[in-house]
Amino acid sequence: MAAVYSGTDAALKSLTYQHILSVEQFTPDVLEALFALAQSMDRQVAFGRIDQLLASKVVANVFYEASTRTDLSFQSATQRLGGRVISTAGGVHYSSVTKGESLHDTIKTIACYSDAIVLRHPTRGSAREAAAASDALRLAMHSPTPIINAGDGTGEHPTQALLDLYTIKDRFGENIDGLTIGFLGDLRNGRTVHSLIKLLAIDHCHVKVVCVAPESLTMPSEYVEFARSRQMPVEETDDLQAAIGQMDVLYVTRVQRERFVAQQLDDLSASVYGMPYDSLDSPRKDALRPLAELNAAQEYLSARDAYVVDPMMLSQARKEMILLHPLPRVNEIPEEVDTDDRAYYFRQVQNCLYIRMALLAAVLDCLPL
Ligand code: NCD
């Protein structure tokens, strides 16, 4: 049964001109109000009658990493609400970043031309750094330019978690107490599951989480502890076959190949030189790279096929279970599964739009009257 929300504007007002950096900024009240607004955005898009809430607003999309859904759904959300989007042609690869410009200077510049900045960056903590740069400029500007974290390395992806929780409630109703939610795959590097496990705990959902991952890719303890400290039970296993039968939601993630080399470089640097990779000089950095790349390739190959949710695996799952995936997928869910009623990941893709429309309207102080 789909959820029906009745959020209040007062809760949403608390998001006005706030940077959106982590799910930790949200409260159950704000989530309820945001989901109510997202639901109304869904209806408006369906009936083709959309308020031009963002008319006169300019949103900058700044992506230092590849993206399809996040980039385009933020663009679509802005434009459907009557706003405009700017970005450098061809992404940051054609901006002055290639000339060595710092993140600070880049953000301060873009903040002069836009009302909000949607930022994706490969370094954990970069969204917070960008927020500090934007704040530093605040004094000189008429209004602050909020940063929306669209994924910071292996850190967080708060807007994805918002739409993931919205999708779960879309399917099971607003009260999801008693559900068992499985996270599968590369839980070490997947920022979407880092944000979602925290958000479930923040929303006081009385759910059980089961983390299924190979030993090398388990959920970092900081997230498990965050959930447990808020009375959310978390089990950890590497045995999908044994665990799948109890799940109401199975959230699948891909193995994040692009993160493996960086992790290997950090590990090798610590063991060979006893210092962080970033603080090494160039010759030492270069010396570590071939071995790091070799180790990363081996690690990826052994993890890549660890779990495949195919029809055989799904035959052991509940009939009412839903299968989520933030996408892109590689080989962890074969396309033949898409016609199974439990495949819910393209509904998740649609919800990207409604949640981001609602969030932009709230952050830019453009809520419907
Ligand atoms: C995810 C991301 O970028 O973290 N994708 C997305 O935003 N929908 C997941 C991934 O890259 O695997």
Side-chain angles (χ1 to χ4, degrees), residues 65-67 69-70 120 150 157 160 191-192 254 256 258-259 325-328 356:
E65 263 191 359
S67 172
R69 276 146 294 271
T70 309
R120 170 168 288 186
H157 195 346
Q160 176 74 37
R191 54 197 172 201
T192 68
R254 82 185 158 93
Q256 309 242 324
E258 71 275 26
R259 314 272 178 224
H325 193 308
L327 302 177
R356 287 172 176 144

Side-chain angles (χ1 to χ4, degrees), residues 63 65-71 120 150-153 156-157 159-160 163-164 186 189-193 251-256 258-259 325-330 332 348-349 352 356:
F63 280 65
E65 263 191 359
S67 172
T68 300
R69 276 146 294 271
T70 309
D71 186 2
R120 170 168 288 186
D152 63 326
E156 279 211 42
H157 195 346
T159 67
Q160 176 74 37
L163 72 94
D164 292 339
D186 185 352
N189 297 306
R191 54 197 172 201
T192 68
V193 287
Y251 190 106
V252 186
T253 63
R254 82 185 158 93
V255 177
Q256 309 242 324
E258 71 275 26
R259 314 272 178 224
H325 193 308
L327 302 177
R329 62 177 150 183
V330 184
E332 56 283 352
Q348 221 177 334
V349 170
C352 289
R356 287 172 176 144

